[in-house]
Amino acid sequence: MDDITTTPVLSEAKAKDSAAALAAQARAGDEGAFLQLMGDSRDRLLRIALAYLRSEEAALEAIQETTLRAYMKLGKLKEPAYFQTWLIRILMNVCIDEQKRRRRQRPAERLPEAPAAEFGMPGIEDRLRMEEAIAELEPKLRQVVILKYYDDMTLTEIARLLGKPEGTVKTWLNRALAKLRAWMREGEARDEG
């Protein structure tokens, strides 16, 4: 019975050790290891980039830029076990840079549908309101919402990624959700009035 309950934990630990070993090999100059790490990370990176940029084309370009930056800065990776965290942080910076560039050029675009569904609002009007509300959040709150609801990260993972205490991330998430709820209630009141 013990073997059954510990197997997933052991395989998860084995996967992390394997990723850390690949990251160490990549840092030492093994291009194949780097390519494998990037391939293993692609889906996760795409989800995050889509949440930020709301365009598949822009998300794919952001992943390309992230890959280039990661490859160029691979020697600066201090701890191979945190390759994923380091890579996501690079991607977030690329996405934020792209958002700033877009704001200078044209109005903000729409976010995907995930948070609207989380609040039990399936209608397109409600999704549009939710997108607008998320876009209005201050950057640190918006970032936590995107990582939590678009990339399905735990608070612990988000805290590690952002380099903040878990309690701070939890406070930011609660503050963001409270603002989103208030914003949605105000929208409903405007619609009824």
Side-chain angles (χ1 to χ4, degrees):
M1 187 80 176
D2 284 338
D3 291 338
I4 293 172
T5 58
T6 59
T7 302
V9 173
L10 289 176
S11 61
E12 188 176 310
K14 204 179 241 187
K16 285 183 181 181
D17 289 345
S18 174
L22 277 173
Q25 291 170 358
R27 190 174 69 177
D30 183 341
E31 289 180 16
F34 178 76
L35 291 174
Q36 184 175 343
L37 285 167
M38 293 307 297
D40 293 347
S41 305
R42 187 179 189 285
D43 290 341
R44 188 174 201 186
L45 295 176
L46 184 59
R47 276 194 315 272
I48 293 170
L50 281 170
Y52 272 96
L53 303 174
R54 301 169 297 272
S55 157
E56 187 173 352
E57 182 181 336
L60 291 172
E61 286 180 22
I63 292 171
Q64 245 181 345
E65 178 66 22
T66 299
T67 302
L68 177 64
R69 288 185 190 183
Y71 186 75
M72 300 301 287
K73 296 179 181 188
L74 200 52
K76 294 182 179 183
L77 175 62
K78 294 177 184 169
E79 185 59 51
Y82 293 114
F83 178 82
Q84 284 289 319
T85 302
W86 177 75
L87 187 62
I88 290 170
R89 191 171 275 168
I90 292 171
L91 175 66
M92 287 169 40
N93 288 333
V94 167
C95 290
I96 289 168
D97 290 346
E98 177 61 17
Q99 284 177 325
K100 287 176 186 174
R101 187 189 68 76
R102 283 181 176 186
R103 268 189 229 118
R104 287 185 297 243
Q105 292 181 347
R106 63 179 179 252
E109 294 178 21
R110 301 283 181 202
L111 285 171
E113 302 174 10
E118 189 71 29
F119 278 87
M121 299 178 302
I124 191 159
E125 212 172 278
D126 292 327
R127 286 194 300 263
L128 293 174
R129 268 195 225 130
M130 181 58 71
E131 292 170 5
E132 190 176 333
I134 291 171
E136 293 294 320
L137 290 172
E138 61 185 277
K140 66 184 179 187
L141 302 182
R142 184 173 51 244
Q143 198 169 45
V144 171
V145 168
I146 288 172
L147 292 172
K148 175 72 174 150
Y149 293 104
Y150 289 91
D151 193 39
D152 199 29
M153 293 179 77
T154 65
L155 293 177
T156 303
E157 291 170 330
I158 296 169
R160 187 178 322 123
L161 178 68
L162 299 178
K164 301 290 181 188
E166 191 172 336
T168 299
V169 170
K170 190 173 187 177
T171 299
W172 288 354
L173 181 61
N174 288 333
R175 190 178 309 151
L177 294 176
K179 286 182 177 196
L180 291 174
R181 284 185 199 103
W183 204 91
M184 294 306 292
R185 279 193 295 269
E186 289 172 13
E188 289 171 6
R190 282 191 303 268
D191 289 348
E192 291 172 4

